[in-house]
Amino acid sequence: MKKNKLKHMKLFFKISGLTLLLLIFVLFFWFRSNLIDRNPGYKADLKIISGNPSELNTGFAAFPVTPEVPDKWIDKNGDAKYNPGDGDTFTDGNGNGVFDPVWIAGFGNRRAANGIHDDLWARTMVIDDGKTRLAIIVLDAIGIMNDDVIDVRNRIPEEAGVTYTIIASTHTHESPDLLGLWGKSFLKSGVNRDYLEYVKIQAVKSLMAAVGNMRPARLLLSEDLTGATSLVMDTRKPEVFDSGLRLIRAVDTENGHTLGSLIAWADHPETLWGKNTLITSDFPHYVREGVEKGVFNGDTLVKPGVGGIAVYLNGAIGGLMTTHPSLPVKDPITGEEFKEPTFEKAEAQGKQLALLALKSMENEVEEVDTAGISLIVRTLTLPIENTAFRIATMIGIFPRGTSGWMKLRTELSVFTIGPVSFATLPGEVYPEIINGGIEAPAGRDFLIEQVEVPSVREIMPGKYKFIFGIANDEIGYIIPQSQWDVKAPYTYEGKKSPYGEENSLGPGTAPILHQYLREMLIELDQTKYVAEKVK
Ligand SMILES: [Zn+2]
């Protein structure tokens, strides 16, 4: 009996040992396949020094990236559901076809799209100085990972002649998940691979069309740095904004028609908030409509638009720039005030921004007839310090590989076009890093003084300084290290850790990015100096 028991135990350990070994084996290959470097050796690195100022050509295009969403999801029992619950697949209202729900990004998990309010877009501006051709694609998306950006670049035909392609996202919280965080549960990616593929195809089409639409152009530059501040609030101390409206309007040199415009501001496109289930680009939709076609009161045109294709671009939206449901927004024409998150509120906000933009485009405009493009691009790696992000990467929730053990590849770029300078950042940067005002408050986790100084805009050359956030990647929040706060006691006498750190790669991110940007901007300024000296 005793002997028999021993035999059983031996067998048990033998089997469980084998199972464990098999499990380790499977896990090892699963993790390895998720962590593999998808673009080994990839570097976007560039350094281009502008020559003498020359005539510019620009082109614009817009291609939809709207997902397919049935009017109503129908569950297994044939009942129309506002939000699908059980099961992963649903048929449309006529019982046709089977769909995976379109999971909306931003806010919580399990928010399935229930229809389309307005189209999502891949909007492109191409600018060329005869030597360098830059393409700026802006997606109505939560963001896309650097690996997917590289994938889009690899698909761009050589004949496009593009030197460097920037792919930024508006970060609308009312569009399909492209990052993986907002699926059916937090353990399931919300990314639909077919939709991601469609976005990539449309992005390339948009770029090719913009190249095809290129015309000799002059740039009209203007800005309104104060007018739009009341439309955004900062939900985390210190209160620092990036609420300046910066504008570039490209006009056909021959006929004076507007080819398109670039509208840069900084706020989370989440005015519709987390209960909306209609696909929309949120307030940027109304901004673009207003700038292109004019601002209306019902059917009456109040302010004519400039025509062309408007591209909306988001700047420093971390820390956290939002049009929170507690922030009222007034319709600029009727004076009606909206507080609850509704399409009327997003429209009122968009109209206000469009009116400010259109007025600014009329007043104190600087014209640029000739310019040269200088450009510096750096690929770099950042450590994934956040444990949840590490797990999400290992189990494939984040659709990106790694570049070294728990490191990810990302990218920064800085460039100038005449008196305008630009810096692209791969995530949601806190405005303090861009505009100054970083604090080292009592209760902070690291007993250090401000690290990311001087501010990025202080180092940026030129007169007009554009920030592109969520450009070429979405790594999450970029938080000043001296404001990092996950441990008690908390900063600003808070009772708990402020929101932000859980969606950041870690406290090391901001110092690394700032250091790179600083070096690149100094180098950019020197290239301009060298170029001018040579001439
Ligand atoms: Zn965000």
Side-chain angles (χ1 to χ4, degrees):
M1 187 72 179
K2 245 186 175 175
K3 210 175 172 187
N4 214 354
K5 199 177 174 187
L6 199 69
K7 210 170 148 191
H8 275 133
M9 274 176 78
K10 269 187 181 168
L11 193 68
F12 172 76
F13 280 119
K14 221 174 186 177
I15 291 170
S16 56
L18 269 175
T19 315
L20 192 69
L21 209 69
L22 196 71
L23 189 72
I24 290 170
F25 199 67
V26 168
L27 280 178
F28 174 77
F29 280 96
W30 184 40
F31 292 163
R32 211 180 81 133
S33 70
N34 290 327
L35 295 177
I36 205 161
D37 191 343
R38 297 176 192 192
N39 293 284
Y42 178 89
K43 272 191 186 303
D45 294 18
L46 277 170
K47 181 175 173 179
I48 291 165
I49 303 165
S50 86
N52 292 334
S54 51
E55 283 189 359
L56 297 166
N57 279 276
T58 73
F60 289 80
F63 271 67
V65 293
T66 318
E68 263 185 65
V69 182
D71 287 341
K72 268 268 182 266
W73 293 107
I74 306 293
D75 69 9
K76 284 175 195 153
N77 305 320
D79 299 324
K81 295 201 90 172
Y82 188 60
N83 230 342
D86 306 323
D88 279 317
T89 55
F90 300 83
T91 58
D92 71 7
N94 303 316
N96 300 320
V98 178
F99 300 84
D100 288 323
V102 174
W103 299 115
I104 301 182
F107 301 99
N109 287 90
R110 238 180 143 91
R111 184 164 55 123
N114 210 25
I116 310 285
H117 181 272
D118 50 83
D119 275 320
L120 305 179
W121 297 95
R123 289 174 177 246
T124 305
M125 175 187 184
V126 172
I127 185 154
D128 187 308
D129 68 350
K131 187 180 161 196
T132 304
R133 183 172 294 177
L134 267 176
I136 300 161
I137 304 174
V138 185
L139 303 172
D140 284 319
I142 193 79
I144 67 168
M145 303 288 198
N146 188 246
D147 281 317
D148 292 315
V149 170
I150 294 168
D151 188 22
V152 173
R153 285 181 186 151
N154 289 340
R155 297 167 187 224
I156 299 169
E158 202 136 304
E159 63 258 32
V162 176
T163 317
Y164 181 57
T165 302
I166 294 162
I167 305 179
S169 295
T170 61
H171 197 52
T172 169
H173 278 41
E174 318 295 338
S175 66
D177 185 5
L178 288 180
L179 300 173
L181 283 168
W182 297 279
K184 193 182 167 197
S185 77
F186 74 98
L187 283 173
K188 282 200 172 150
S189 168
V191 179
N192 179 318
R193 304 300 303 181
D194 292 340
Y195 175 67
L196 179 58
E197 176 65 18
Y198 171 65
V199 171
K200 290 176 180 178
I201 290 167
Q202 295 298 87
V204 174
K205 279 186 187 168
S206 171
L207 179 145
M208 293 308 286
V211 169
N213 292 341
M214 280 205 305
R215 296 275 305 150
R218 57 176 199 276
L219 305 181
L220 309 181
L221 313 169
S222 62
E223 55 189 17
D224 180 344
L225 300 183
T226 54
T229 306
S230 67
L231 294 172
V232 53
M233 68 187 274
D234 188 350
T235 55
R236 176 173 172 169
K237 284 179 184 169
E239 269 206 5
V240 181
F241 295 86
D242 185 26
S243 57
L245 198 54
R246 292 175 171 84
L247 306 149
I248 299 176
R249 181 179 158 205
V251 172
D252 193 312
T253 314
E254 280 167 30
N255 59 28
H257 291 163
T258 300
L259 298 165
S261 48
L262 197 67
I263 306 155
W265 195 53
D267 183 18
H268 268 70
E270 60 180 15
T271 302
L272 269 299
W273 219 247
K275 287 213 164 68
N276 169 58
T277 58
L278 296 179
I279 294 290
T280 170
S281 57
D282 207 277
F283 73 81
H285 166 65
Y286 299 101
V287 182
R288 295 184 303 227
E289 288 280 304
V291 169
E292 289 173 358
K293 300 175 186 119
V295 176
F296 288 81
N297 182 20
D299 292 334
T300 315
L301 181 65
V302 178
K303 181 97 187 157
V306 294
I309 290 170
V311 180
Y312 176 87
L313 199 82
N314 244 332
I317 62 168
L320 180 96
M321 303 297 114
T322 181
T323 306
H324 192 267
S326 65
L327 184 72
V329 174
K330 259 189 190 164
D331 183 298
I333 297 143
T334 63
E336 197 180 341
E337 200 173 87
F338 301 98
K339 207 167 169 184
E340 293 302 311
T342 58
F343 280 99
E344 285 85 357
K345 185 180 180 183
E347 183 172 4
Q349 184 182 10
K351 276 183 176 176
Q352 281 211 39
L353 288 162
L355 280 175
L356 290 168
L358 290 168
K359 280 176 193 158
S360 177
M361 285 176 180
E362 289 170 359
N363 306 325
E364 290 183 40
V365 175
E366 186 170 337
E367 261 191 56
V368 173
D369 291 314
T370 59
I373 299 172
S374 290
L375 167 71
I376 295 175
V377 185
R378 289 273 181 282
T379 289
L380 60 134
T381 56
L382 290 170
I384 307 171
E385 298 170 281
N386 181 330
T387 308
F389 279 19
R390 284 182 166 214
I391 294 168
T393 311
M394 281 174 91
I395 64 173
I397 296 279
F398 284 157
R400 73 186 301 158
T402 52
S403 182
W405 173 245
M406 286 304 156
K407 281 182 184 164
L408 54 80
R409 176 188 293 106
T410 194
E411 196 173 310
L412 288 166
S413 73
V414 294
F415 55 102
T416 54
I417 305 170
V420 198
S421 65
F422 305 81
T424 75
L425 284 105
E428 299 166 60
V429 63
Y430 278 38
E432 301 86 290
I433 295 173
I434 300 301
N435 294 327
I438 295 176
E439 297 188 346
R444 64 192 186 278
D445 288 1
F446 300 96
L447 285 177
I448 49 169
E449 295 308 306
Q450 291 85 336
V451 180
E452 303 84 2
V453 286
S455 77
V456 173
R457 274 210 170 91
E458 266 177 78
I459 330 168
M460 285 173 82
K463 186 173 166 192
Y464 303 90
K465 302 172 180 185
F466 283 70
I467 297 293
F468 294 16
I470 315 148
N472 301 320
D473 208 349
E474 165 58 319
I475 60 164
Y477 294 122
I478 301 164
I479 306 175
Q481 199 173 26
S482 59
Q483 292 173 200
W484 188 268
D485 187 19
V486 291
K487 286 184 242 155
Y490 300 114
T491 52
Y492 307 104
E493 289 162 9
K495 291 200 167 48
K496 56 180 175 83
S497 170
Y499 170 70
E501 282 77 353
E502 59 269 58
N503 281 324
S504 169
L505 282 176
T509 292
I512 295 171
L513 291 177
H514 182 266
Q515 180 63 27
Y516 266 93
L517 270 181
R518 187 179 177 168
E519 285 167 14
M520 290 162 71
L521 285 165
I522 290 168
E523 210 178 325
L524 187 73
D525 218 15
Q526 282 166 353
T527 63
K528 189 190 72 180
Y529 175 71
V530 170
E532 277 167 8
K533 224 171 134 185
V534 168
K535 151 190 103 174

